[in-house]
Amino acid sequence: MINKPINIAIVGLGFGAEFIPIYQKHPDANMYAICQRNADKLEEIGNAFGIEKRYTDYEELLKDPLVDAVHINTPIQNHAEQSIAALRAGKHVACTVPMATSVEDCKRIVDAVNETGLTYMMMETVVYSREFLFVKELYESGELGKIQFLRGSHQQEMAGWPGYWEGLPPMHYATHCVSPVLALPKASAEYVSCFGSGRIDENLIPKYGSPFAIETCHIKLKDSDLSAEVTRSLFNTARQYRESFDVYGSKKSFEWTLIEHEDSVIHTGESPERVKVKDYAHLLPKEIQEFTTEFVYGAEENQHLSFIQGSGHGGSHPHLVHEFVSSLVANRQPYPNAVQSANITCVGILAHESAMKGGEIIPLPEFTF
């Protein structure tokens, strides 16, 4: 057990700024430092939230002996190297998704965790959304009965996002639809088979060599009779933003609403009914309960694009903070830990590889502590 507040440093202050006041109010955390290459942005955020310790150089931040843990919110191509550098510097790591962009880098992070004994958590929003917590409660109470099948879908249009997103293979950013279908049955993926479909604009293809508008993947769950299916699109596909999962049980099934802000559906046998998904702030310390339903960083027009498109990420941000901080305090593994994060992330990486090979079955590597 740790008996002092955890000194947190947030790295990257676009999406990352959403978490600052949550850490500031968490009873077991101290919002100690922020890091941003743009000095003007660093000063703006630091002044707005009253944070004195500020860094424009990540390496300098890692030399600070008072930093206990870093929360990384930088572009996806930086996640692996920055996570590994932090672990090697003796810092616990929380990192936004995905864990990495290659199987090799996922393995390097797991190896670094094993070698240092430190904690790594991928800050996957969906498994702490109110929708997931609602279905988890139904499942654990026995209302769903036996799970028979799971499906995830994450469709969006990323035109206008920073340039490194242009032409990204859809499954390389699949954690939001992969994570719930693995987390609910507490399973890991054994192997995948994926097909690509359609074609994105020609000018988008060369950066990653990926032509597909949509990729859809079947996942075989390890040591289970279950399989799951996930669908992902990023460009040139007409669809309102949808970050969703469906669960089919022997007694009841849950289907995510087709249109944002409408109610989802519970099927009891063959009888459907609309259902209001409740909030789960009561699972949190009272100091941060407000953040499941309220905007965090400034006015609504200042919200990060992922937060706006994702409809507030289902109130997940304070749950993520609490899971990370409480795991450090109690010296336990968070969910998802390094091994689970690697499995979730590699489903997408290897699914795209499968799609490029016409649907070939590809096994997931073994990651262990």
Side-chain angles (χ1 to χ4, degrees):
M1 298 288 288
I2 297 175
N3 295 317
K4 69 174 185 69
I6 308 295
N7 279 349
I8 302 289
I10 289 184
V11 184
L13 300 177
F15 179 51
E18 296 285 344
F19 292 89
I20 291 173
I22 307 175
Y23 283 114
Q24 286 180 320
K25 290 193 174 185
H26 193 287
D28 294 318
N30 175 38
M31 187 59 251
Y32 171 72
I34 53 176
C35 182
Q36 171 74 30
R37 287 177 299 179
N38 183 310
D40 291 339
K41 180 74 174 289
L42 181 70
E43 294 303 303
E44 175 192 347
I45 299 297
N47 292 339
F49 291 106
I51 300 169
E52 294 183 8
K53 205 69 176 176
R54 307 171 190 180
Y55 291 92
T56 56
D57 188 318
Y58 182 60
E59 292 183 3
E60 289 302 311
L61 180 149
L62 294 182
K63 293 176 184 177
D64 188 334
L66 295 181
V67 173
D68 296 316
V70 296
H71 182 168
I72 297 167
N73 300 276
T74 55
I76 62 175
Q77 65 268 24
N78 298 330
H79 291 178
E81 293 303 329
Q82 291 181 336
S83 295
I84 292 166
L87 291 164
R88 299 288 184 210
K91 317 300 184 187
H92 302 287
V93 174
C95 185
T96 190
V97 300
M99 182 186 211
T101 57
S102 71
V103 173
E104 293 74 17
D105 280 344
C106 289
K107 184 179 186 304
R108 290 172 63 215
I109 294 171
V110 173
D111 288 346
V113 168
N114 282 328
E115 292 164 14
T116 62
L118 294 165
T119 295
Y120 173 95
M121 176 181 171
M122 185 171 70
M123 301 295 263
E124 171 50 58
T125 56
V126 175
V127 295
Y128 290 96
S129 67
R130 60 182 63 90
E131 292 85 359
F132 182 84
L133 296 173
F134 172 71
V135 176
K136 181 172 179 277
E137 185 176 66
L138 288 178
Y139 175 51
E140 292 181 349
S141 70
E143 285 193 54
L144 296 184
K146 181 188 180 328
I147 295 177
Q148 304 288 25
F149 183 67
L150 304 106
R151 175 183 290 123
S153 173
H154 185 187
Q155 293 186 260
Q156 66 189 123
E157 175 56 62
M158 298 200 77
W161 282 65
Y164 63 84
W165 291 102
E166 292 177 354
L168 187 76
M171 282 292 167
H172 275 202
Y173 194 68
T175 67
H176 292 328
C177 52
V178 173
S179 62
V181 304
L182 296 180
L184 188 68
K186 299 179 180 178
S188 61
E190 182 178 5
Y191 56 83
V192 297
S193 173
C194 181
F195 285 101
S197 183
R199 192 172 182 88
I200 57 177
D201 290 341
E202 295 303 314
N203 65 297
L204 296 174
I205 296 173
K207 185 172 288 188
Y208 296 98
S210 174
F212 304 122
I214 293 179
E215 291 180 326
T216 183
C217 170
H218 272 94
I219 308 167
K220 178 67 179 67
L221 276 56
K222 187 176 181 180
D223 300 324
S224 171
D225 59 5
L226 291 174
S227 64
E229 180 265 322
V230 294
T231 300
R232 190 74 172 96
S233 65
L234 296 171
F235 296 96
N236 302 120
T237 303
R239 179 67 173 89
Q240 182 189 36
Y241 185 96
R242 189 171 194 245
E243 192 175 296
S244 68
F245 63 90
D246 302 327
V247 181
Y248 296 91
S250 58
K251 296 179 181 177
K252 291 185 178 181
S253 298
F254 171 87
E255 290 185 330
W256 194 285
T257 178
L258 288 172
I259 300 174
E260 190 175 6
H261 303 306
E262 291 190 355
D263 292 333
S264 295
V265 177
I266 290 283
H267 298 265
T268 303
E270 296 185 0
S271 301
E273 62 176 323
R274 298 280 181 185
V275 61
K276 293 282 186 187
V277 175
K278 63 183 180 181
D279 193 50
Y280 281 81
H282 64 278
L283 299 180
L284 297 166
K286 63 181 184 301
E287 293 90 342
I288 62 170
Q289 289 179 359
E290 65 186 287
F291 295 117
T292 63
T293 54
E294 293 186 5
F295 287 112
V296 174
Y297 170 40
E300 183 172 347
E301 61 268 19
N302 290 331
Q303 301 305 308
H304 190 268
L305 187 55
S306 71
F307 193 68
I308 296 169
Q309 278 195 336
S311 191
H313 290 160
S316 61
H317 293 184
H319 292 281
L320 288 166
V321 167
H322 183 57
E323 175 68 4
F324 182 55
V325 172
S326 62
S327 74
L328 299 180
V329 170
N331 192 29
R332 64 168 176 81
Q333 288 293 314
Y335 185 87
N337 62 28
V339 166
Q340 293 156 337
S341 300
N343 186 257
I344 291 167
T345 300
C346 286
V347 165
I349 294 169
L350 294 175
H352 174 64
E353 184 178 321
S354 170
M356 296 297 287
K357 295 178 177 179
E360 178 180 312
I361 291 175
I362 299 180
L364 271 290
E366 290 282 344
F367 298 102
T368 58
F369 285 132

